[in-house]
Amino acid sequence: MNPRLASLHPYPFEKLRELFAGVTPTSSLPHISLGIGEPRHPTPEFIKRALIESLPKLASYPPTAGGDALRQAIADWLIRRYGLRSVDWKTEVLPVNGSREALFAFAQAVLDPSRSDAIVVCPNPFYQIYEGAALLAGARPHYVNATPERGFAADYGSVPAEVWRRTRLLYVCSPGNPTGKVLGLDEWKAIFSLSDRHGFIVASDECYSEVYFDEGSAPLGALQAATQLGRGFERLVVFSSLSKRSNVPGMRSGFVAGDASVLKPFLLYRTYHGSAMSLAVQDASVAAWRDEAHVRENRRKYAEKFKTVTPVLQRALRVEPPEAGFYLWAPTPIPDTEFARRLYAEQHVTVLPGSFLARESGAVNPGANRVRMALVAEADECLEAARRIVEFTNTL
């Protein structure tokens, strides 16, 4: 077996199962899970119809590069959403089976295995795929803390010059998971400057980009920032997905876009990797990328939930709504693992301990004594969960 497999950490939800082992929650209350970021709003009917109508295409092999219609639809969406001058759908767009598999595969394609000293930089706390991708590609992760003192922006100024010299890949997540932090133009300018100086690739995870609360103020994207700064897409790729935007996590449909010189060898890798998207899923994806009405309705639902749930939670916790995304990143009055375990036992509500989403760096774990709450269920269920959390917290 690949010896690098032994370096992987247990996934957060495996840790959660171990934490809850032996716990028998109260039977008088139905279970409410705020633990996993799985969208649970209904899938729009027009997307389901498009998928069903294309089922006969399951008889054909799909092209790894994706069909022309899907790549054009993604390029058109990028131009509309981010005000870009142009996106070449033939060379700057690549459909993928959800952003998760692409974020992992990307590191395997771009990291040079002969560089035993290679470093992959990622925010801390973080989406664990970044770490696993780095470790299995033979690189060392370097964690950059994102703390409340900096508004949950990763402190790239704290990274030693020697680390930057060895960095080959930087994972960025904006809007952030779990913090909801959205990077501004000045922060992107600093990131691009570091990339120019040291030659590493920037991989921007933007799967939460379409869950925000002010229709007049959409989160800034990496390609948009590059354009506003008068740059091209050199050494920059973005990852996005329909899962959160369109409530279709089971379709596993997303894309990678950006530097054509990076995407060309990544496509070669994917040709051997065997990761072509089903033609039926492609057709349903075209329909989803071309429609914004359902996305606005999705945002309305999230905005209403945060508007009603956050004030309830604030009766017991010092929690603030995020800039974007569907998570609350709440501080806890007792250790986060104890909070989550006792909450599950006493109120039958699941939240995810923040320490499971981070690593110790600089002698601290920036996720410690916080919990992530995913407001993905319908409003009434989220509000009931909030009431139970308040009731539990007030007993501490």
Side-chain angles (χ1 to χ4, degrees):
M1 301 296 291
N2 185 342
R4 292 173 182 166
L5 289 169
S7 66
L8 298 179
H9 293 260
Y11 212 62
F13 302 111
E14 182 180 341
K15 291 183 178 180
L16 192 64
R17 285 192 294 271
E18 293 176 357
L19 180 67
F20 289 171
V23 176
T24 302
T26 177
S27 59
S28 62
L29 296 170
H31 181 230
I32 300 177
S33 178
L34 306 182
I36 187 169
E38 179 182 54
R40 288 162 57 190
H41 295 166
T43 299
E45 289 298 322
F46 78 93
I47 297 177
K48 292 192 284 188
R49 285 197 304 272
L51 182 66
I52 292 169
E53 291 169 2
S54 295
L55 287 179
K57 294 185 179 180
L58 293 177
S60 301
Y61 281 120
T64 302
D68 293 357
L70 177 55
R71 297 167 84 184
Q72 288 174 338
I74 292 169
D76 291 345
W77 179 81
L78 284 166
I79 292 169
R80 290 195 311 271
R81 167 63 173 83
Y82 294 112
L84 306 179
R85 289 186 293 272
S86 66
V87 175
D88 186 344
W89 65 266
K90 294 180 181 179
T91 62
E92 295 178 329
V93 173
L94 189 60
V96 296
N97 292 313
S99 56
R100 176 175 177 163
E101 70 91 357
L103 286 162
F104 174 82
F106 188 71
Q108 317 313 305
V110 305
L111 293 175
D112 182 351
S114 69
R115 290 287 303 270
S116 60
D117 64 342
I119 289 176
V120 172
V121 174
C122 66
N124 191 31
F126 59 95
Y127 184 37
Q128 196 159 319
I129 296 302
Y130 311 153
E131 176 189 69
L135 292 170
L136 283 177
R140 179 173 71 82
H142 182 88
Y143 310 103
V144 184
N145 291 346
T147 61
E149 292 76 19
R150 290 180 48 82
F152 299 112
D155 185 8
Y156 294 116
S158 69
V159 179
E162 174 57 25
V163 170
W164 285 126
R165 282 193 291 270
R166 294 162 54 195
T167 298
R168 308 273 39 96
L169 177 63
L170 167 65
Y171 281 112
V172 178
C173 186
S174 180
N177 170 14
T179 66
K181 168 66 178 176
V182 176
L183 297 184
L185 192 62
D186 287 345
E187 289 157 318
W188 278 115
K189 184 177 180 180
I191 289 170
F192 295 146
S193 177
L194 287 165
S195 173
D196 290 343
R197 191 178 315 149
H198 301 288
F200 58 76
I201 294 173
V202 177
S204 181
D205 179 359
E206 301 181 4
C207 70
Y208 296 94
S209 69
E210 303 314 289
V211 181
Y212 55 92
F213 313 111
D214 180 356
E215 287 295 327
S217 183
L220 180 70
L223 300 182
Q224 182 181 21
T227 299
Q228 291 182 8
L229 291 167
R231 299 172 57 88
F233 300 155
E234 57 272 12
R235 296 183 308 283
L236 173 65
V237 294
V238 301
F239 298 74
S240 193
S241 168
L242 287 173
S243 295
K244 281 78 174 174
R245 176 188 184 273
S246 300
N247 299 305
V248 288
M251 270 195 0
R252 312 311 304 136
S253 178
F255 68 81
V256 185
D259 189 335
S261 68
V262 174
L263 291 187
K264 183 176 181 179
F266 186 41
L267 173 59
L268 174 63
Y269 173 90
R270 295 179 66 77
T271 300
Y272 281 84
H273 192 59
S275 48
M277 184 188 297
S278 158
L279 292 172
V281 171
Q282 288 193 44
D283 285 354
S285 300
V286 169
W289 287 118
R290 286 179 174 169
D291 181 80
E292 291 297 323
H294 77 286
V295 188
R296 289 191 292 270
E297 173 60 16
N298 196 41
R299 282 196 289 270
R300 186 196 64 77
K301 287 185 175 182
Y302 282 118
E304 185 63 29
K305 281 189 284 189
F306 278 97
K307 182 179 178 180
T308 57
V309 169
T310 305
V312 173
L313 287 170
Q314 287 173 334
R315 298 171 190 168
L317 295 171
R318 292 180 292 105
V319 62
E320 297 297 331
E323 294 180 49
F326 50 51
Y327 298 120
L328 285 169
W329 186 230
T332 57
I334 59 176
D336 56 306
T337 51
E338 181 184 352
F339 185 95
R341 182 179 170 91
R342 288 183 55 185
L343 176 65
Y344 178 68
E346 298 174 29
Q347 294 289 340
H348 212 177
V349 173
T350 297
V351 296
L352 189 64
S355 57
F356 291 0
L357 296 166
R359 299 285 178 258
E360 184 171 313
S361 178
V364 297
N365 181 318
N369 300 326
R370 286 186 175 269
V371 291
R372 191 186 77 177
M373 306 176 190
L375 300 192
V376 290
E378 293 293 349
D380 289 347
E381 192 173 4
C382 288
L383 191 58
E384 171 62 18
R387 294 188 183 111
R388 293 192 209 171
I389 291 168
V390 170
E391 180 179 342
F392 164 72
T393 305
N394 285 337
T395 67
L396 299 176

XYZ file of all heavy atoms in Angstrom, residues 33 79 100 119 149 160 162 212 217 239-241 257-259 273 278 298 314 317 328 352 360 362-363 371:
198
model
N -29.598 17.709 13.028
C -28.169 17.781 12.715
C -27.819 19.112 12.074
O -28.352 19.471 11.025
C -27.747 16.644 11.782
O -26.376 16.784 11.461
N -18.561 34.977 -16.729
C -18.532 36.344 -17.264
C -19.644 37.182 -16.643
O -19.424 38.320 -16.221
C -18.634 36.308 -18.800
C -17.356 35.700 -19.397
C -18.893 37.703 -19.357
C -17.463 35.373 -20.869
N -14.822 18.835 -4.658
C -14.020 18.032 -3.739
C -13.014 17.159 -4.473
O -11.830 17.151 -4.164
C -14.945 17.174 -2.871
C -14.215 16.214 -1.939
C -15.206 15.506 -1.049
N -14.560 14.527 -0.188
C -15.112 14.014 0.896
N -16.320 14.398 1.260
N -14.476 13.122 1.619
N 6.006 22.376 -0.244
C 5.041 22.771 0.779
C 3.743 23.209 0.116
O 3.750 23.851 -0.942
C 5.601 23.916 1.652
C 6.720 23.387 2.555
C 4.511 24.566 2.498
C 7.392 24.458 3.387
N -9.210 37.766 15.794
C -8.480 39.028 15.921
C -8.191 39.667 14.559
O -8.027 40.880 14.463
C -7.166 38.812 16.677
C -7.332 38.452 18.149
C -7.766 37.019 18.362
O -7.589 36.191 17.427
O -8.289 36.710 19.455
N 6.977 32.284 7.279
C 8.398 32.593 7.062
C 8.763 32.581 5.575
O 8.178 31.837 4.779
C 9.123 31.467 7.817
C 8.120 30.947 8.792
C 6.788 31.104 8.144
N 11.281 31.309 4.176
C 11.762 29.991 3.774
C 10.607 29.073 3.383
O 10.718 28.260 2.468
C 12.573 29.351 4.906
C 13.019 27.916 4.656
C 13.852 27.750 3.378
O 14.485 28.752 2.941
O 13.860 26.650 2.822
N -24.989 34.128 -0.086
C -24.697 35.399 0.570
C -26.016 36.116 0.824
O -27.084 35.615 0.452
C -23.724 36.243 -0.248
C -24.135 36.509 -1.682
C -24.863 37.635 -2.028
C -23.776 35.627 -2.701
C -25.228 37.885 -3.347
C -24.140 35.869 -4.023
C -24.868 36.989 -4.339
O -25.234 37.224 -5.647
N -24.396 42.844 -3.222
C -22.999 42.751 -2.798
C -22.541 41.295 -2.787
O -22.376 40.679 -1.726
C -22.823 43.379 -1.410
O -21.470 43.370 -1.018
N -12.173 26.864 -8.191
C -13.001 25.668 -8.121
C -14.382 26.089 -7.637
O -14.502 26.804 -6.641
C -12.414 24.658 -7.129
C -11.039 24.163 -7.499
C -9.929 24.977 -7.347
C -10.856 22.874 -7.988
C -8.661 24.537 -7.687
C -9.589 22.432 -8.325
C -8.487 23.256 -8.184
N -15.407 25.641 -8.336
C -16.763 25.961 -7.914
C -17.659 24.752 -8.154
O -17.240 23.762 -8.752
C -17.293 27.185 -8.658
O -18.475 27.660 -8.044
N -18.894 24.849 -7.678
C -19.757 23.681 -7.662
C -21.214 24.104 -7.692
O -21.571 25.197 -7.246
C -19.466 22.879 -6.384
O -20.449 21.896 -6.159
N -11.605 26.591 -13.363
C -11.404 27.592 -14.416
C -10.189 28.440 -14.081
O -9.850 28.620 -12.911
C -12.644 28.470 -14.564
N -9.549 28.948 -15.119
C -8.406 29.827 -14.891
C -7.298 29.611 -15.898
O -7.555 29.468 -17.102
N -6.069 29.570 -15.411
C -4.861 29.532 -16.231
C -4.882 28.342 -17.200
O -4.826 27.177 -16.784
C -3.645 29.436 -15.305
C -2.331 29.605 -16.038
O -2.267 29.339 -17.252
O -1.337 29.985 -15.387
N -7.092 9.532 -15.071
C -7.765 9.345 -13.794
C -9.170 8.777 -13.976
O -9.726 8.162 -13.061
C -7.826 10.696 -13.070
C -8.237 10.623 -11.638
N -7.553 9.903 -10.704
C -9.271 11.202 -10.971
C -8.133 10.034 -9.516
N -9.174 10.822 -9.661
N -20.889 12.347 -16.366
C -21.987 11.750 -17.127
C -22.654 12.794 -18.017
O -22.858 13.947 -17.619
C -23.018 11.168 -16.156
O -24.278 11.034 -16.770
N -32.823 30.465 -3.260
C -32.002 29.735 -2.299
C -31.369 30.699 -1.304
O -31.391 30.468 -0.079
C -30.920 28.961 -3.054
C -30.269 27.880 -2.226
O -30.933 27.168 -1.478
N -28.956 27.745 -2.351
N -27.847 34.208 20.074
C -27.123 35.278 20.780
C -27.607 35.468 22.213
O -26.967 36.186 22.988
C -27.232 36.585 19.995
C -26.379 36.599 18.738
C -26.595 37.819 17.866
O -27.677 38.429 17.888
N -25.604 38.182 17.079
N -24.851 32.627 23.277
C -23.525 32.510 22.679
C -23.138 33.807 21.985
O -23.989 34.503 21.425
C -23.492 31.362 21.649
C -23.707 29.947 22.179
C -23.876 28.968 21.013
C -22.551 29.512 23.063
N -22.505 28.973 10.951
C -22.210 29.825 12.085
C -20.997 29.237 12.793
O -20.913 28.023 13.014
C -23.403 29.887 13.048
C -24.573 30.751 12.576
C -25.785 30.528 13.468
C -24.199 32.232 12.549
N -20.536 20.416 14.975
C -19.198 19.885 14.716
C -18.167 20.654 15.536
O -18.064 21.883 15.403
C -18.858 19.979 13.232
C -17.584 19.263 12.768
C -17.700 17.757 12.964
C -17.288 19.573 11.310
N -3.083 22.190 15.240
C -2.295 23.074 16.090
C -1.187 23.712 15.264
O -0.422 23.038 14.591
C -1.696 22.304 17.269
C -0.940 23.207 18.233
C -0.527 22.497 19.499
O -1.366 21.802 20.099
O 0.661 22.639 19.870
N 1.513 27.256 15.611
C 1.895 28.367 16.467
C 1.426 28.180 17.888
O 1.056 29.149 18.560
N 1.408 26.917 18.327
C 1.036 26.550 19.702
C -0.448 26.728 20.008
O -0.847 26.657 21.175
C 1.876 27.319 20.713
N -17.612 25.829 17.689
C -18.337 24.786 16.980
C -18.878 25.357 15.676
O -19.163 26.561 15.582
C -19.504 24.192 17.806
C -18.981 23.391 18.983
C -20.473 25.278 18.270
